[in-house]
Amino acid sequence: MSEKRGSASLPIKKRKLDGSSSSSGSASDVKQGGEAAMEDPPPTEIADILDSLSVSVENKPRKQDDNDDDHDEDDDDDDDDDDDDDAKFLVYRKSLTRDDVLCRRLVIPLEDAIEFMPEPSKNEGRYKLTQLKLMDHKKRMWNMKASFDELSSSYLFSENWDKYLNKYELEPEDVIFLFEDSSDDKRLLIEFHRRKLHNINPKKFLVYKKSLTRDDVFYRRLVIPLEDAVEFLPQPSKYRGRYEFTELKLMDHEKRMWNMRASFYKECSSYLVWENWDKYLNKYELETEDVILFYEDPIDTHFHIEFQKRKPERNNNPKDATD
């Protein structure tokens, strides 16, 4: 059954999202860059950074003004969440069994799977594998495969299902939700709800660390090479021929939230983090060779950002960022 004889696309049947459903890992907490258009950043700043990185500017326009988002203003978050809920349709919900977790296979009975999966079909005497793309609440993409098991009359989700379980430390009786994404019919959205909140491990995980360069400080843009960015940012994707912006929510050591955006530039194969990055630099008087650290928390839909001063006497970060 693990041998691939063919693959099937993923047609999805729509069912309106029940507004009463909730989950700890909610995709509605994370904005997608392609949903809103954006004006180009100030031309003088873009000209400077392009001279440094030798890249051409390719920004997606947005409807809102540049001043709409500030690091301490989240007035429109509720409206955005409502829009996200309207853009997805619940197609499956399950309380995880012991086998789903310990056997590292998600079992979905055929009578439930036909709501969003193709009818099982054979190729050269074997059931075809169905390729699946799922996006979680942190916009991380998971490529999985579903194989039909005739004995149990169920689809078995495999390949990266175990990694998804490990990533979010899911246990039996935790609930997973699958949604249709009305903005992209080639993928599903996956979320979860924990059975017991006190079982959650609050430990943060370091996902990126960098000693700031002169360009990061002088040009007011944080440059993150793609090979590092893929550890915590989505793979670059295009919308109408232009790379999408990625919305970032970062909480600093003072519990202040910073709304930033990351743009991918193919010419330098890097993400550039901007919008409020300059304000963060100014707030904590960061300089070249100071170190910034990004952390991910299994509970939160935002990242944590901390720093270490190059000179200890300048360090006004009360946390030990190396923990």
Side-chain angles (χ1 to χ4, degrees):
M1 186 165 54
S2 62
E3 181 181 354
K4 181 177 179 181
R5 289 289 184 177
S7 61
S9 59
L10 182 63
I12 303 171
K13 298 182 181 180
K14 296 184 179 180
R15 186 164 69 197
K16 182 63 178 176
L17 170 64
D18 183 356
S20 63
S21 298
S22 63
S23 97
S24 303
S26 172
S28 63
D29 293 333
V30 182
K31 300 179 182 177
Q32 297 186 32
E35 292 181 356
M38 176 179 296
E39 295 178 1
D40 291 344
T44 55
E45 294 187 16
I46 286 294
D48 288 339
I49 192 167
L50 292 183
D51 289 340
S52 170
L53 296 174
S54 300
V55 299
S56 61
V57 180
E58 196 176 57
N59 284 337
K60 179 183 174 184
R62 70 183 181 100
K63 297 178 182 178
Q64 293 88 0
D65 294 334
D66 284 341
N67 294 328
D68 283 351
D69 295 325
D70 199 353
H71 66 271
D72 56 355
E73 295 181 0
D74 294 322
D75 295 339
D76 297 331
D77 282 355
D78 292 339
D79 294 338
D80 292 337
D81 290 345
D82 292 339
D83 292 340
D84 288 340
D85 286 341
D86 290 339
K88 63 186 182 183
F89 300 85
L90 182 67
V91 294
Y92 186 62
R93 170 179 175 169
K94 183 181 185 181
S95 177
L96 296 179
T97 66
R98 183 175 180 273
D99 287 346
D100 291 328
V101 177
L102 297 184
C103 297
R104 323 306 274 176
R105 296 289 186 272
L106 174 63
V107 180
I108 301 182
L110 180 60
E111 59 267 27
D112 297 318
I114 57 175
E115 290 293 327
F116 59 98
M117 298 283 291
E119 289 283 351
S121 61
K122 289 185 176 181
N123 181 25
E124 298 181 0
R126 294 177 178 270
Y127 284 104
K128 296 180 181 179
L129 292 176
T130 299
Q131 306 286 342
L132 297 166
K133 289 186 177 181
L134 299 98
M135 185 172 74
D136 68 19
H137 63 288
K138 292 191 175 182
K139 297 182 66 178
R140 178 178 284 103
M141 295 301 301
W142 299 87
N143 295 316
M144 300 186 189
K145 293 179 181 177
S147 56
F148 180 69
D149 179 29
E150 191 170 17
L151 184 62
S152 63
S153 188
S154 299
Y155 269 103
L156 308 180
F157 281 43
S158 59
E159 190 170 306
N160 293 321
W161 168 248
D162 57 335
K163 295 180 181 178
Y164 181 79
L165 290 175
N166 293 337
K167 176 66 178 178
Y168 297 113
E169 301 177 351
L170 299 183
E171 300 177 356
E173 297 187 31
D174 289 344
V175 180
I176 59 107
F177 302 83
L178 296 180
F179 300 89
E180 175 198 355
D181 183 355
S182 62
S183 66
D184 189 343
D185 60 4
K186 295 181 179 179
R187 72 185 181 197
L188 295 169
L189 305 178
I190 183 169
E191 301 177 6
F192 61 84
H193 178 79
R194 296 189 188 277
R195 174 174 55 96
K196 297 180 180 178
L197 292 179
H198 61 77
N199 282 343
I200 299 175
N201 183 358
K203 181 180 179 181
K204 296 181 298 183
F205 299 93
L206 181 67
V207 293
Y208 186 60
K209 177 178 180 178
K210 183 181 184 182
S211 177
L212 297 179
T213 65
R214 179 180 179 275
D215 289 349
D216 293 327
V217 177
F218 182 78
Y219 291 108
R220 327 303 276 176
R221 299 291 187 266
L222 175 64
V223 181
I224 305 178
L226 181 61
E227 58 266 27
D228 297 320
V230 293
E231 293 295 324
F232 61 101
L233 292 176
Q235 285 285 348
S237 60
K238 287 187 175 182
Y239 178 78
R240 295 181 179 176
R242 296 178 181 271
Y243 284 104
E244 294 181 297
F245 290 105
T246 297
E247 303 282 349
L248 291 176
K249 289 188 176 183
L250 302 154
M251 177 181 286
D252 67 20
H253 63 283
E254 294 182 348
K255 307 299 182 183
R256 178 181 282 104
M257 291 298 301
W258 299 85
N259 295 318
M260 301 186 190
R261 288 186 170 92
S263 310
F264 178 72
Y265 289 85
K266 183 177 180 180
E267 291 80 355
C268 61
S269 190
S270 298
Y271 269 100
L272 270 60
V273 179
W274 52 286
E275 187 165 306
N276 292 321
W277 170 248
D278 57 335
K279 295 180 181 179
Y280 181 79
L281 291 176
N282 293 337
K283 171 68 177 176
Y284 297 112
E285 301 177 351
L286 299 184
E287 299 177 358
T288 300
E289 296 186 19
D290 288 345
V291 177
I292 57 104
L293 305 101
F294 283 15
Y295 293 91
E296 186 174 28
D297 189 315
I299 307 173
D300 299 327
T301 56
H302 57 260
F303 293 101
H304 296 260
I305 184 170
E306 298 177 9
F307 61 83
Q308 294 173 328
K309 297 284 189 179
R310 174 171 53 92
K311 298 178 181 179
E313 61 271 17
R314 293 176 50 242
N315 197 340
N316 59 350
N317 183 351
K319 288 189 176 183
D320 182 3
T322 61
D323 287 346

